[in-house]
Amino acid sequence: MADKFKAPRGTFDVLPEQSAQRRRLMRAAREIFGRAGYRNIVTPSFEDTALFERGVGKSTDIVRKEMFTFEDKGGRSLTLRPEGTAPICRAYVEHGMHTLPQPVKLAYSGPFFRHERPQAGRYRQFNQIGAEAIGSASPLADVEVISLLSDLLEEMGVPGVELHLGSLGSIEARAAYLEELKSHLRSRSDELSEDVRERIEINPLRAFDSDDSGTQAVMADAPHLLDHLDTADAEHFEEVKELLGAASVEFTIDPTLVRGLDYYTRTIFSFVCSELGAQSEIGGGGRYDGLIKQLGGPDTPAIGWAAGIERILLALDEEVELPGTDLFIAVGGKEQQAKAVALASELRHHGLSVEMDLAGRSMKGQLKQADRIRSANILVFEEDGTSSLRNSATNERQQVEPAQVLDLIRP
Ligand code: AMP
């Protein structure tokens, strides 16, 4: 026998019985985005590799080791998108969106790709949903964007969610603090994990995220960026906190919060969920006031987040039953098939869900199938040309003409 194929490591299939909850999430997101004026944007699944190198940052795990990069037939280096913000900023610049009224408010969802070690909640192809407000430096934008994700998780009923909030300050103001942090790390470099030690000079902040116990001990005594914000950054942070309170979004300040992408400035945030294991972050994001300029656009402040669709569904961990069908049409013989096809097609055009037998089942088998798909009504075209309609809930049965069915079963 030929070998059977399996989905590649770190990927998964979404089967029909798992898709109802996913659809509920997408519907909730569409409504929440729509109500706040965030409009959908779709970018390609792959981009020039240089976009991510420049946008996400060469010192990040994503760019250093997690990208699916390949050469096209013309020798160009392309990469399956590991995240959505750099591509959206590329589109903002490419389509001159800075000439539109600001901020430009965008929402997206789709597949992303990272060559990570697969485990529960961590995949190599996963789906994210996200929002970006590009072109506003106001703390109001921070609060609006954060509220979108808070509302979505609340609307979906995700249990055990906590919002962690921090600030990275602006790039210039952060520079002095980074020197202080580096010298702290250098002074105790023998206690650090190799990975952190190697990146003292290029990405010292990541040490806060390490799960190595030696590094954690060093970081327990490390200076915090929140104590070193300059006046403007500290004011921005204060306003964000105040306005989040006004919007009734609860949060805890996390002075050690950092994120895995280089482009963040000022506000950063992370929604974590106690129902998830090691991969406890459901979604997060922050300001990236320097990114658009870094990608060749005008100096443009912006803020956004991304949430893992699979993580949200894992946290919910409940299957939603697929809805039943409005009508199942059973046929007593081949002569009735044309009538059944015609009626099914007409009723579907009227928006009803209608199924019929496609597997050559006996009448008994067809009635059983109607039960299995929880059909609310069953129409039987008998061999003798008559037809009867049965309501599955009441078990009432009546002789009908096909033309009457629509009015009789329309919900
Ligand atoms: P990031 O783009 O790294 O800020 O991640 C945003 C969110 O995407 C995370 O909070 C996760 O919910 C989700 N996510 C990131 N990487 C993965 C992955 N490898 N598998 C599943 N979800 C992921």
Side-chain angles (χ1 to χ4, degrees), residues 149-335:
L149 183 50
S150 165
D151 286 352
L152 180 63
L153 299 175
E154 193 179 315
E155 168 78 28
M156 289 301 291
V158 180
V161 174
E162 243 184 55
L163 166 60
H164 292 212
L165 189 69
S167 174
L168 291 177
S170 54
I171 292 171
E172 312 77 54
R174 187 156 76 207
Y177 163 78
L178 288 180
E179 284 314 314
E180 197 180 319
L181 178 61
K182 281 183 208 170
S183 78
H184 174 75
L185 291 171
R186 273 189 229 111
S187 72
R188 293 175 62 180
S189 67
D190 50 331
E191 297 170 61
L192 300 172
S193 71
E194 202 185 314
D195 196 44
V196 170
R197 195 164 37 231
E198 271 176 13
R199 278 192 283 174
I200 292 181
E201 300 309 320
I202 54 170
N203 200 348
L205 281 173
R206 291 299 289 173
F208 281 110
D209 236 5
S210 171
D211 44 21
D212 168 72
S213 57
T215 305
Q216 283 171 350
V218 175
M219 297 322 284
D221 307 327
H224 288 158
L225 182 45
L226 276 189
D227 302 324
H228 292 70
L229 295 181
D230 74 10
T231 317
D233 293 340
E235 256 170 36
H236 184 95
F237 194 45
E238 282 310 311
E239 280 186 59
V240 170
K241 288 191 281 187
E242 205 179 298
L243 292 168
L244 278 175
S248 305
V249 177
E250 283 178 27
F251 59 88
T252 33
I253 303 295
D254 184 347
T256 65
L257 185 63
V258 289
R259 296 200 60 75
L261 299 93
D262 271 358
Y263 49 61
Y264 288 116
T265 52
R266 293 195 159 176
T267 313
I268 50 167
F269 54 94
S270 169
F271 284 83
V272 293
C273 172
S274 57
E275 302 297 301
L276 296 172
Q279 303 304 314
S280 65
E281 192 193 88
I282 267 197
R287 273 206 165 270
Y288 46 93
D289 291 344
L291 182 57
I292 302 254
K293 188 165 180 210
Q294 212 170 314
L295 296 178
D299 202 356
T300 310
I303 179 161
W305 54 259
I309 290 182
E310 287 72 32
R311 299 249 176 111
I312 296 177
L313 298 177
L314 270 176
L316 290 170
D317 191 29
E318 57 188 46
E319 282 192 6
V320 174
E321 212 174 7
L322 293 173
T325 304
D326 294 323
L327 178 71
F328 187 89
I329 305 177
V331 292
K334 206 165 173 6
E335 305 71 48

